[in-house]
């Protein structure tokens, strides 16, 4: 592929590996963005849109988008802040996956059990900017200066091993289930931030004329995300209980209410958050709903 074949195409950056990669491929498929990636090639043309996908490390995507080298990207909120690109990109959609927290961790058995206790000691991390900012404030508060300030050291991976190896008194690392942390004999003593995957666009895009295409892709991806997040809930309800029932299932805009052939009964259809399905069904039963059905959504536009 040469630079000419990219001419005029919207450049869309996707994590090339790691935690976000597979989910991004599912999103692209759901949004009908068709491509065939040749082995080891990190740029590929989309067949059915004027788009080229660029596969990059998740941590590099904020700078590429922020500097306008690519127009659109998917990455973690955490690495946008770490790259100091929050003023150069716009987070257009939260994608509901890649959820994790950046936490300060210490060995469970260690005498140090607070961030104030860790101030002035050695902290190992892949997030040296965010960890640096966090401990700068703590050091300032404790009025530490010179060599007595916290020493932040960068490693690119396997951060959780640093304490056991004697390299650190504490670490700053991402936590999702907590399995990695617990397996390393660590526990969290503070949360620096919460993160999830986001769709970002450049504040200084390479192809400003392609902003309608950015909107189209955003709307398609929003549809796929909403379809994963919501189910359709249908039920029958006596007319006098309608108000109570629709308070439980208000829908995104409003529930659809239709008459039933049986006198005094109505049918209601409404979008409900998938995570709340069981609770909503319990509450509907309690107010007198019957024949409650839940349907998955393949796709939608909201
Ligand atoms: N355990 C996790 N659970 C959920 N999301 C995570 C987790 N770890 C990382 N992430 C998110 O995924 C992003 C990329 O992290 P990941 O460690 O997968 O990247 P990588 O370094 O490119 O890949 P690899 O670790 O395979 O080298 C992070 O910036 C964060 O937003
Ligand atoms: O709380 P958990 O569910 O255990 O997830 C946390 C782990 O996930 C990430 O690493 P990843 O496994 O992506 O590999 P890496 O260390 O090579 O980045 C992160 O750096 C933690 O090590």
């Amino acid at each position: 592929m040469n630079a000419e074949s990219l001419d005029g195409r919207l450049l869309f950056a996707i994590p090339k590996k790691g935690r976000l990669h597979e989910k991004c491929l599912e999103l692209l498929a759901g949004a009908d963005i068709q491509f065939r990636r040749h082995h080891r090639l990190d740029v590929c043309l989309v067949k059915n849109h004027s788009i080229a996908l660029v596969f990059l490390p998740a941590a590099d995507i904020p700078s590429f988008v922020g500097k306008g080298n690519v127009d659109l990207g998917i990455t973690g909120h955490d690495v946008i802040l770490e790259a100091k690109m929050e003023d150069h990109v716009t987070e257009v959609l939260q994608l509901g996956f890649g959820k994790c927290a950046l936490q300060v961790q210490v060995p469970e058995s260690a005498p140090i059990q607070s961030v104030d206790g860790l101030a002035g000691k050695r902290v190992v991390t892949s997030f040296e900017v965010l960890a640096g900012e966090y401990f700068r404030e703590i050091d300032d508060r404790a009025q530490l200066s010179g060599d007595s300030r916290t020493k932040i050291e960068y490693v690119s991976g396997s951060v959780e091993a640093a304490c056991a190896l004697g390299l650190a008194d504490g670490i700053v690392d991402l936590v999702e289930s907590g399995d990695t942390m617990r397996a390393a004999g660590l526990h969290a003593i503070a949360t620096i931030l919460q993160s999830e995957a986001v769709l970002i666009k450049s504040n200084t895009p390479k192809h400003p004329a392609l902003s309608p295409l950015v909107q189209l892709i955003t709307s398609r991806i929003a549809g796929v995300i909403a379809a994963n997040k919501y189910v359709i809930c249908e039920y029958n309800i006596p007319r006098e209980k309608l108000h109570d029932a629709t308070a439980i299932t208000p829908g995104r805009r409003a529930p659809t209410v239709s008459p039933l052939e049986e006198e005094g009964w109505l049918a209601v259809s409404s979008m409900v958050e998938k995570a709340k399905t069981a609770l909503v069904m319990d509450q509907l039963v309690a107010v007198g709903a019957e024949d409650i059905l839940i349907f998955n959504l393949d796709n939608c536009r909201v």
Side-chain angles (χ1 to χ4, degrees):
M1 185 177 315
N2 53 35
E4 268 166 35
S5 58
L6 295 181
D7 260 1
R9 284 183 179 253
L10 183 90
L11 300 184
F12 187 0
I14 303 293
K16 64 184 287 184
K17 61 183 177 68
R19 297 275 181 159
L20 308 181
H21 178 71
E22 281 299 324
K23 286 280 187 190
C24 287
L25 297 188
E26 284 170 26
L27 268 190
L28 294 176
D32 194 29
I33 296 173
Q34 299 172 11
F35 63 97
R36 185 168 321 126
R37 187 178 174 193
H38 293 283
H39 185 57
R40 303 206 58 77
L41 217 55
D42 285 338
V43 180
C44 67
L45 304 184
V46 171
K47 291 185 207 162
N48 56 341
H49 293 285
S50 181
I51 298 176
L53 298 178
V54 194
F55 290 90
L56 297 169
D60 292 343
I61 291 177
S63 304
F64 275 92
V65 178
K67 290 176 186 162
N69 301 106
V70 301
D71 305 278
L72 206 56
I74 295 178
T75 190
H77 173 68
D78 53 346
V79 288
I80 296 170
L81 300 181
E82 176 66 16
K84 293 203 151 296
M85 282 291 147
E86 61 272 28
D87 295 334
H88 301 273
V89 303
T90 302
E91 297 189 8
V92 280
L93 280 179
Q94 296 190 318
L95 300 175
F97 60 87
K99 289 189 177 178
C100 52
L102 186 65
Q103 295 190 315
V104 185
Q105 303 163 33
V106 292
E108 274 174 313
S109 54
I112 299 167
Q113 291 300 329
S114 70
V115 280
D116 290 324
L118 199 53
K121 304 283 190 306
R122 299 164 306 160
V123 172
V124 161
T125 185
S126 303
F127 290 82
E128 54 183 342
V129 171
L130 291 171
E133 284 171 359
Y134 184 80
F135 278 98
R136 197 170 307 133
E137 248 182 53
I138 289 168
D139 288 352
D140 287 347
R141 222 184 318 131
Q143 298 185 325
L144 299 178
S145 59
D147 281 352
S148 62
R149 288 176 78 84
T150 309
K151 288 150 272 299
I152 308 286
E153 193 170 326
Y154 173 83
V155 295
S156 64
S158 302
V159 182
E160 67 280 358
C163 294
L165 292 174
L167 298 172
D169 302 293
I171 64 166
V172 170
D173 197 11
L174 297 173
V175 177
E176 184 212 3
S177 63
D179 288 348
T180 307
M181 176 172 75
R182 281 187 292 274
L186 303 168
H187 74 147
I189 54 170
T191 297
I192 298 180
L193 60 88
Q194 301 284 346
S195 181
E196 74 178 89
V198 285
L199 177 69
I200 53 174
K201 68 176 182 184
S202 181
N203 291 350
T204 49
K206 195 175 171 71
H207 302 104
L210 293 180
S211 97
L213 186 53
V214 169
Q215 266 166 29
L216 178 86
I217 297 305
T218 304
S219 148
R220 284 194 182 189
I221 292 179
V224 180
I225 298 298
N228 288 333
K229 192 172 170 196
Y230 293 95
V231 291
I232 295 293
C233 175
E234 281 189 12
Y235 54 90
N236 298 330
I237 188 86
R239 186 179 290 276
E240 67 275 12
K241 297 288 174 56
L242 180 67
H243 182 75
D244 292 347
T246 53
I248 300 164
T249 60
R252 279 177 60 88
R253 176 162 302 157
T256 306
V257 181
S258 1
L260 275 191
E261 288 293 350
E262 192 175 332
E263 185 62 32
W265 281 78
L266 297 166
V268 179
S269 172
S270 187
M271 279 171 91
V272 166
E273 267 186 66
K274 202 180 257 181
K276 295 185 180 152
T277 309
L279 183 66
V280 164
M281 291 173 87
D282 294 343
Q283 291 174 339
L284 287 174
V285 169
V287 299
E290 292 183 11
D291 311 311
I292 305 168
L293 306 175
I294 300 293
F295 299 98
N296 277 323
L297 283 162
D298 276 341
N299 207 333
C300 67
R301 271 323 138 81
V302 289

